[in-house]
Amino acid sequence: MEQSLRSLLVEGTRNGSLGPGSKLPTERALVERLSAPRSAVRRALEVLERDGMVVRHVGRGTYLTDAAVEAVRAAPADTSPAEIMQVRLVLEPPVAALAARVATQADLDRITQCLERGGASDEFEAFEMWDGRLHRAIAEAAHNGLLMNMFDVMNASRQLPVWGSLKRRTSSPERRRCYHAEHTAVVEALRDRDPEGAQVAMRRHLENVADNLLGRH
């Protein structure tokens, strides 16, 4: 559901129907448009708000943020999954190493919560939500604003429909368990304040993701 809503926002931003400060359709309208339960739409909006893509005002509605529009516009519409994975492999392992050095205990607690919630998620949508939140929490733990801007541009490309459909097609319970084990290795290195271990574990995880998504075996 979160992926579907993100794709809707990306599409609206690219075709010009949504811009900075644009008001999103009501929850009822989103329920009808996405053919989803209202509770699922609410959870997806909560995640988007936490990620800074939307802001919600009680009694007034939900609005797209300037940062979300800038990130989407900065990501080329024709970005391929292979290009996304190349950039992730360049960016995320050293970010994990930096996070191992400078993360606060609050950062580590938030990262651990994402890890645990992801491990407890049996369904594709829930696992993907916590997977994305885990990787973003690790990036946030590096405490570098420029890196976060770069991460958000890269992450905007992951909201493109081609990425979501490929992830769904290649997902399976076994692979999700494997990804959780790899996530655990990254988080353990972060807790141990082991920059090299965090970088190696993140690279190993992303290489496995790339192999599964792109059929590199």
Side-chain angles (χ1 to χ4, degrees), residues 52 71-72 76 93 98 120-121 123 134 139 145 151 160 165 168 172 184 206 209:
V72 170
L98 180 57
S121 300
E123 301 298 326
L134 172 67
F151 183 90
L160 297 172
S165 61
R168 183 178 289 278
S172 69
T184 300
L206 293 176
V209 173

Side-chain angles (χ1 to χ4, degrees), residues 92-101 185-186 188-190 192-204:
E92 292 196 60
V95 167
L98 180 57
R101 295 187 182 96
V186 174
E188 287 178 348
L190 293 174
D192 291 341
R193 303 292 184 180
D194 178 4
E196 182 177 358
Q199 180 160 333
V200 169
M202 181 65 83
R203 176 168 293 279
R204 186 178 296 123

Side-chain angles (χ1 to χ4, degrees), residues 50-119:
R50 188 227 177 260
D51 288 351
M53 291 191 70
V54 302
V55 58
R56 296 189 294 172
H57 299 289
V58 177
R60 290 173 50 199
T62 302
Y63 299 83
L64 196 62
T65 64
D66 293 1
V69 174
E70 290 172 4
V72 170
R73 288 177 177 170
D78 59 350
T79 300
S80 70
E83 289 176 324
I84 294 171
M85 288 310 306
Q86 287 169 355
V87 174
R88 293 190 71 186
L89 279 161
V90 168
L91 186 63
E92 292 196 60
V95 167
L98 180 57
R101 295 187 182 96
V102 303
T104 66
Q105 187 58 50
D107 292 327
L108 295 174
D109 289 344
R110 185 168 59 253
I111 290 167
T112 299
Q113 181 190 43
C114 293
L115 175 70
E116 292 174 347
R117 296 293 292 274

Side-chain angles (χ1 to χ4, degrees), residues 124-187:
F124 170 80
E125 291 283 0
F127 183 85
E128 283 297 302
M129 178 185 74
W130 289 108
D131 178 293
R133 292 182 73 169
L134 172 67
H135 282 269
R136 196 173 198 281
I138 293 171
E140 289 175 339
H143 294 281
N144 185 302
L146 180 57
L147 273 176
M148 277 310 305
N149 287 342
M150 296 168 65
F151 183 90
D152 284 338
V153 169
M154 176 198 71
N155 220 32
S157 297
R158 295 177 65 193
Q159 315 315 322
L160 297 172
V162 64
W163 174 268
S165 61
L166 181 58
K167 282 299 293 288
R168 183 178 289 278
R169 287 200 310 272
T170 58
S171 181
S172 69
E174 181 180 358
R175 281 184 175 171
R176 290 195 291 271
R177 286 192 293 271
C178 180
Y179 292 160
H180 177 66
E182 292 167 357
H183 286 159
T184 300
V186 174
V187 175

Side-chain angles (χ1 to χ4, degrees), residues 26-38 41:
T26 63
E27 286 185 6
R28 178 177 296 179
L30 289 172
V31 165
E32 295 177 358
R33 185 165 180 176
L34 299 173
S35 300
R38 193 161 191 165
V41 170

